Amino acid sequence: MSTINTVRTILVGVDGSHESDRAATLAGELAAALGAVLVAAHATGLLDVWPDHPETHGARNSHSHVELMLRGTWTDPARQSGVEPRLILRDGPPSLVLTAVADEVDADLIIVGTRGVGSSDPFGLGSTAAKLAQRSTRPILIVPGARTRSDEPE
């Protein structure tokens, strides 16, 4: 079990959601502060359906577009801390991909948002975060999205 002084590798799951952006920001800040390696990973799957070109009316799975987002906007929040993340794009269910990547890179900490682009419950834990919490043997930091006053439950 690692402690804060021995965190050498941080894995962050990214998917372009607001929560993922917050997780990437925190991961970049922690990696910079600790001198740790940052790995950003995305699991492609059913949710990765994007148009190849803006003029395309039909959407289809586009790994090239997802890869561009992984290299750019999805990991830009991590780069704001001066850390250049290692990027990993894999096919498969997000919780399984993140668990496998964490083992491969020997991550000392996994950081994810509370929910990603596929979650609809604004107050619940997304399936990826919940499954990681159940399956992983590594420490996990789950980062919530920012709440506004209109988000508060009645």
Side-chain angles (χ1 to χ4, degrees):
M1 177 71 83
S2 59
T3 64
I4 194 74
N5 295 330
T6 61
V7 173
R8 297 170 310 277
T9 304
I10 298 170
L11 171 64
V12 62
V14 295
D15 67 5
S17 66
H18 177 68
E19 288 80 358
S20 167
D21 288 350
R22 293 191 72 206
T25 298
L26 180 59
E29 291 171 357
L30 280 174
L34 299 172
V37 171
L38 180 60
V39 178
H42 177 76
T44 58
L46 296 176
L47 296 177
D48 286 322
V49 179
W50 313 92
D52 279 333
H53 304 286
E55 66 276 0
T56 304
H57 295 290
R60 62 186 175 90
N61 196 319
S62 171
H63 278 259
S64 60
H65 186 72
V66 171
E67 187 173 351
L68 285 174
M69 291 187 294
L70 179 62
R71 292 183 184 281
T73 58
W74 290 358
T75 51
D76 283 344
R79 287 189 195 87
Q80 296 301 314
S81 296
V83 175
E84 184 62 39
R86 175 179 164 203
L87 307 177
I88 298 178
L89 180 63
R90 297 269 171 81
D91 285 323
S95 63
L96 295 179
V97 166
L98 291 174
T99 301
V101 169
D103 289 343
E104 289 171 25
V105 303
D106 195 22
D108 299 297
L109 178 64
I110 302 169
I111 302 178
V112 294
T114 50
R115 61 185 188 276
V117 293
S119 268
S120 58
D121 180 359
F123 303 109
L125 196 59
S127 63
T128 298
K131 288 176 184 174
L132 275 173
Q134 293 171 344
R135 294 180 179 158
S136 180
T137 59
R138 298 172 186 275
I140 300 168
L141 177 58
I142 300 173
V143 181
R147 286 206 174 159
T148 64
R149 201 160 246 263
S150 64
D151 289 337
E152 295 299 322
E154 293 181 28

